[in-house]
Amino acid sequence: MRREISVLVPTPAYSRLSGPLTYESEVDVPPGSLVRVPLGKRDTLGLVWPANAPSSTHPASNHALKAIHSVLHGIPPLSTHWLKLIEFAAGYYQRSTGEFAMACLPPSLRDLTMLQWERKLARRQPATPASQPTLQLPPLTPEQTQVLASLAQHPGPFLLHGNTGSGKTEVYLRRAAMVLEETPQAQVLLLVPEINLTPQLEARVRQRFAHLGDTAIVAMHSAMTPAQRLNSWLAAHLGTARIVLGTRLAVLASMPQLQLIVVDEEHDPSYKQQEGARYSARDLAVYRGQLEGAQVLLGSATPSLESWHHSREAVSGQAAPRYQRLSMPSRVGDSALPVLRRVDMNNQPRKTLISAPLLSAMRERLGRQEQVLVLLNRRGYAPVLHCGACGWKSECPHCSAFRVFHKGDRTLRCHHCSLTQAVPRACPACGNQDIAVLGHGTEKVEEVLAEMLADVKRSDGSPLRVARIDADSTRLKGELVKQLAQVHDGEVDVLVGTQMVAKGHDFRRVSLVAALNPDGALFSADFRAPERLFALLLQAAGRAGRDAQLGAAQACEMWVQTFHPTHPVFEFLKRHDFAGFAAQQLQERKQAGLPPFSFQALLRAEARSQAAAQDFLNAAKALGEARLPAQVTGLFVYPAVPMSMQRVANVERAQMLVESHSRKHLQQFLTAWQENLQALRAQHKAVLRWAIDVDPLAI
Ligand code: ADP
Ligand code: ZN
Ligand code: ZN
């Protein structure tokens, strides 16, 4: 008997064909099965969708239904939970379900023919049998013991607020071991912001769980080859992988026996996807945990204010907090947290890059064979080249940004559109031979420090080594791992870097960390800037003094050079008082009606002219307000404005903020709006792209 089958196919992002299509089949094909179906003239991968989905569309209602070409055998259907997760995420982030589902499957799954597919499955390695764990583990600290007891007793979700070096990673690993031991099939998902930044962690996980066999742990991130990604995905889907260690995209991996999701450094902005479907892996992790009955553990030394707010103390008469908060305030081995030293740059000679007191503190540390970490959030040599004679500056012709001077290869580079040109010998506007640099980046700091410290020798008499880690120094594959290893091995004495060096590394001999110029973020228009700055500085400080023996000799230090030494951010930093900082910020946000006390979405548009982009947005505003769903109240649509990076690669960008006190009302509005926008866009031919960003991180 012929039956009708609903199948999701890769539909365009905001297509009207957002639901599944109907095909026919001779045999019954259960939901979640992967199939190959005809779509137009192509043969494409499809996902069988539950039949009662309301939006099933017939490709052409008065034509005969097309038949499914084939079913990908040998691969069990995706679980109902997974289909539900996809449906929720696509709906919440306002994307078509077909596009979203296909983006969650490994790309090469789409491209393999039936024959290649069968060969692939036949070649799969069998799971290696597990043996008994043999590692000798150190005794837990009292705080770790207490946290693990709570994890064993309560369902969660949890927010683990543990200081840098308090042993959070150890908690994740122990909890994972417990879950895997309790249930023979259980799977654990361990999410990290960027795997490449923490090669140590992957090694630590593999070593800890070596007894499960080497096929039991797989990585999942976007830097893997298509073949590797397919292998990891299959291992997770078939259950041979017991632990998946991955970046944000792994939150959407198929893991039929998922029992635990850990989100390490949960505050990290890289959990938010910034292109295509703009989902938050952290938020989806919480949803997924609830859906599948898996325990969710978010962890950070500097939690996002959203998560901090969701784990506030319960107040009777108010809604119960969503997360249970667990705390580990002490560092393992009682190594002390660094002492904050502020240099008031108002009292320093003009154009000081490294102040005298900071330099002498560095010398002292280096003289004791300790390491120094210098943080500056700007790569390149200098952010601008400038002609004193005519006022020319190294603007990018295609972007509203300056091209950055890179001394290493003597180029001017735009960090937004990648335009790269040789540095001009003379001013391109007036011919003046004497063009100067304005400001400084990591490359310059590296050069200046090497000069300033040229007379300091290592214990064996050899010169000091100053190194730099940023996106430029690590462009080549494998370079970052190599450079980090050199720091760990003590080959590097002074490490200069961008925020890349502040994240998660367990540098043992660093005893002084310096932030050279953090002031920019203090007065930014972005309401999240103080939160990010505080997290960055506290995390950077956390790289110092991780070796208790080092700390005992002399307290380690965090230096900040600032023109605003009495700014509250630094007062809280001095006391390592995350809770105090968070309370103050949340108070301000509450008064201003900002997240987490309100809910936001952005509508963005790109066009060749700013007017065209804004016209579309303002028309969208009028349309949205005119067709406001009846139940939606207290929703505010702001006028369109240029984005702060207004022009990139000759494309003008504009955005519009939508805000509501209710997540539900915002969702209802967006869903209705999105459908109207598809039609509206057809009238605005000059618009190149548009997108909705729900819960945006930067406004
Ligand atoms: P965090 O993730 O909170 O920064 P880690 O889990 O990386 O902290 O722990 C910091 C250091 O302390 C690591 O080198 C780790 O091996 C070590 N460590 C963690 N827990 C213990 C323990 N119970 N006993 C001894 N050392 C520990
Ligand atoms: Zn000039
Ligand atoms: Zn550019």
Side-chain angles (χ1 to χ4, degrees):
M1 197 194 82
R2 292 179 165 262
R3 21 176 102 53
E4 297 194 347
I5 308 260
S6 299
V7 180
L8 274 187
V9 293
T11 39
Y14 293 107
S15 150
R16 290 200 147 271
L17 286 179
S18 59
L21 303 179
T22 307
Y23 289 87
E24 64 171 24
S25 163
E26 297 285 341
V27 293
D28 199 27
V29 192
S33 302
L34 292 170
V35 291
R36 305 231 36 126
V37 292
L39 181 69
K41 293 201 175 74
R42 290 180 302 144
D43 163 274
T44 175
L45 181 73
L47 172 65
V48 178
W49 203 243
N52 52 3
S55 46
S56 293
T57 351
H58 295 252
S61 41
N62 45 4
H63 281 114
L65 289 181
K66 287 188 181 162
I68 284 174
H69 281 162
S70 54
V71 180
L72 273 71
H73 289 295
I75 174 166
L78 288 140
S79 71
T80 314
H81 281 149
W82 192 81
L83 300 181
K84 191 103 211 290
L85 174 68
I86 297 304
E87 187 176 33
F88 167 80
Y92 186 83
Y93 294 105
Q94 305 295 329
R95 305 296 287 199
S96 92
T97 322
E99 178 228 20
F100 195 79
M102 292 304 147
C104 296
L105 296 172
S108 55
L109 202 56
R110 270 173 272 169
D111 309 331
L112 290 185
T113 65
M114 230 23 221
L115 191 65
Q116 289 170 317
W117 180 231
E118 276 158 15
R119 286 202 196 119
K120 171 115 215 147
L121 282 176
R123 270 204 311 270
R124 280 187 52 75
Q125 297 166 353
T128 39
S131 56
Q132 285 303 308
T134 49
L135 275 186
Q136 275 296 324
L137 299 178
L140 293 167
T141 66
E143 289 173 2
Q144 286 172 329
T145 307
Q146 208 171 24
V147 163
L148 282 162
S150 299
L151 292 172
Q153 272 164 24
H154 304 281
F158 297 93
L159 173 66
L160 172 57
H161 175 225
N163 241 319
T164 49
S166 63
K168 292 184 293 299
T169 313
E170 190 60 35
V171 167
Y172 307 151
L173 298 182
R174 300 277 184 126
R175 181 63 194 152
M178 241 184 267
V179 167
L180 294 177
E181 218 161 277
E182 271 167 21
T183 319
Q185 306 293 319
Q187 293 179 297
V188 170
L189 176 58
L190 184 51
L191 294 177
V192 293
E194 283 157 275
I195 282 190
N196 295 336
L197 282 186
T198 44
Q200 277 177 310
L201 178 64
E202 186 172 348
R204 200 164 151 192
V205 173
R206 288 196 184 278
Q207 186 197 27
R208 177 67 58 93
F209 295 98
H211 60 277
L212 295 177
D214 46 358
T215 48
I217 297 149
V218 300
M220 225 180 250
H221 54 88
S222 55
M224 288 163 53
T225 65
Q228 288 171 328
R229 262 174 91 171
L230 180 60
N231 279 334
S232 292
W233 185 86
L234 271 178
H237 179 59
L238 298 174
T240 42
R242 307 286 307 283
I243 300 179
V244 173
L245 175 63
T247 54
R248 62 175 178 255
L249 57 89
V251 77
L252 295 157
S254 162
M255 296 178 71
Q257 304 291 334
L258 184 60
Q259 305 252 317
L260 174 68
I261 310 177
V262 175
V263 185
D264 186 23
E265 310 291 2
E266 68 89 32
H267 64 282
D268 198 296
S270 24
Y271 283 120
K272 184 87 198 282
Q273 167 80 17
Q274 298 291 359
E275 275 164 24
R278 290 163 167 78
Y279 63 86
S280 156
R282 177 194 63 217
D283 297 349
L284 283 183
V286 173
Y287 177 85
R288 185 172 187 176
Q290 248 138 27
L291 181 72
E292 308 208 18
Q295 186 169 62
V296 176
L297 173 57
L298 313 177
S300 176
T302 52
S304 63
L305 291 180
E306 281 81 1
S307 297
W308 190 250
H309 178 65
H310 290 323
S311 65
R312 67 194 177 275
E313 261 178 48
V315 179
S316 70
Q318 287 181 19
R322 291 166 58 195
Y323 309 154
Q324 184 175 339
R325 190 186 294 169
L326 307 169
S327 301
M328 299 204 301
S330 320
R331 282 186 138 185
V332 175
D334 286 329
S335 60
L337 283 162
V339 176
L340 180 72
R341 310 217 186 270
R342 282 165 281 192
V343 181
D344 185 347
M345 296 306 276
N346 296 297
N347 304 332
Q348 295 292 319
R350 269 192 72 223
K351 296 197 173 174
T352 297
L353 182 51
I354 312 276
S355 61
L358 173 56
L359 186 65
S360 79
M362 284 184 183
R363 286 171 166 276
E364 202 179 302
R365 297 283 167 182
L366 294 165
R368 289 202 298 263
Q369 329 316 319
E370 295 168 16
Q371 289 171 309
V372 167
L373 187 69
V374 180
L375 188 70
L376 181 70
N377 241 345
R378 187 183 277 153
R379 63 196 170 88
Y381 190 86
V384 190
L385 274 191
H386 171 242
C387 168
C390 76
W392 173 85
K393 283 182 178 167
S394 57
E395 264 157 17
C396 175
H398 310 304
C399 306
S400 41
F402 291 111
R403 282 173 299 163
V404 175
F405 172 43
H406 288 257
K407 196 173 180 184
D409 54 5
R410 299 208 62 82
T411 55
L412 275 184
R413 255 188 256 160
C414 174
H415 290 179
H416 300 278
C417 72
S418 308
L419 176 72
T420 303
Q421 286 170 336
V423 172
R425 285 173 194 284
C427 170
C430 74
N432 172 19
Q433 299 270 336
D434 190 23
I435 34 183
V437 296
L438 281 184
H440 30 255
T442 45
E443 217 185 339
K444 179 163 174 189
V445 172
E446 180 190 18
E447 181 185 286
V448 168
L449 275 175
E451 276 165 26
M452 285 175 150
L453 298 168
D455 59 314
V456 186
K457 296 280 181 277
R458 314 180 75 169
S459 54
D460 62 0
S462 63
L464 275 191
R465 177 136 179 243
V466 181
R468 167 169 61 91
I469 292 188
D470 58 24
D472 297 313
S473 77
T474 56
R475 197 164 310 157
L476 296 177
K477 200 172 158 64
E479 216 24 59
L480 178 63
V481 172
K482 201 171 101 194
Q483 291 175 12
L484 286 173
Q486 287 173 347
V487 182
H488 286 291
D489 296 347
E491 283 173 47
V492 169
D493 305 287
V494 180
L495 177 62
V496 178
T498 54
Q499 53 172 358
M500 274 171 113
V501 300
K503 288 185 180 180
H505 310 290
D506 198 6
F507 297 135
R508 304 308 297 189
R509 296 197 62 81
V510 169
S511 63
L512 187 155
V513 176
L516 295 190
N517 185 12
D519 286 353
L522 293 177
F523 305 99
S524 161
D526 182 348
F527 71 87
R528 283 195 176 85
E531 175 184 358
R532 277 199 300 269
L533 175 65
F534 190 77
L536 177 67
L537 294 178
L538 204 67
Q539 294 282 351
R543 298 315 111 212
R546 293 172 74 89
D547 193 328
Q549 259 115 45
L550 249 179
Q554 173 135 31
C556 49
E557 297 162 296
M558 166 92 202
W559 285 69
V560 174
Q561 296 192 151
T562 171
F563 286 94
H564 308 278
T566 58
H567 195 284
V569 163
F570 300 128
E571 292 296 325
F572 288 116
L573 185 67
K574 178 183 167 186
R575 299 195 295 267
H576 301 278
D577 183 7
F578 177 80
F581 171 77
Q584 181 254 340
Q585 284 287 308
L586 283 169
Q587 183 63 28
E588 277 185 34
R589 295 224 194 145
K590 191 171 189 172
Q591 278 162 5
L594 289 167
F597 302 97
S598 67
F599 302 91
Q600 299 180 327
L602 282 177
L603 177 63
R604 296 211 168 98
E606 299 185 359
R608 288 287 170 211
S609 79
Q610 184 61 221
Q614 290 197 20
D615 280 352
F616 171 71
L617 295 181
N618 287 323
K621 173 175 155 76
L623 192 69
E625 285 166 346
R627 300 195 196 162
L628 203 64
Q631 67 276 30
V632 173
T633 58
L635 183 120
F636 196 75
V637 186
Y638 289 80
V641 290
M643 282 178 64
S644 56
M645 262 303 296
Q646 181 178 337
R647 191 166 52 102
V648 172
N650 288 327
V651 171
E652 288 284 337
R653 309 164 357 136
Q655 67 180 29
M656 193 163 77
L657 179 65
V658 186
E659 205 170 67
S660 171
H661 60 89
S662 147
R663 196 189 283 283
K664 197 167 133 215
H665 286 187
L666 180 63
Q667 277 293 314
Q668 285 166 340
F669 172 77
L670 293 176
T671 306
W673 202 30
Q674 202 234 101
E675 287 183 14
N676 292 326
L677 292 182
Q678 293 168 7
L680 182 68
R681 191 248 162 99
Q683 299 159 27
H684 288 255
K685 298 254 183 305
V687 171
L688 299 169
R689 268 185 297 274
W690 64 278
I692 294 178
D693 186 353
V694 183
D695 304 329
L697 274 191
I699 293 176

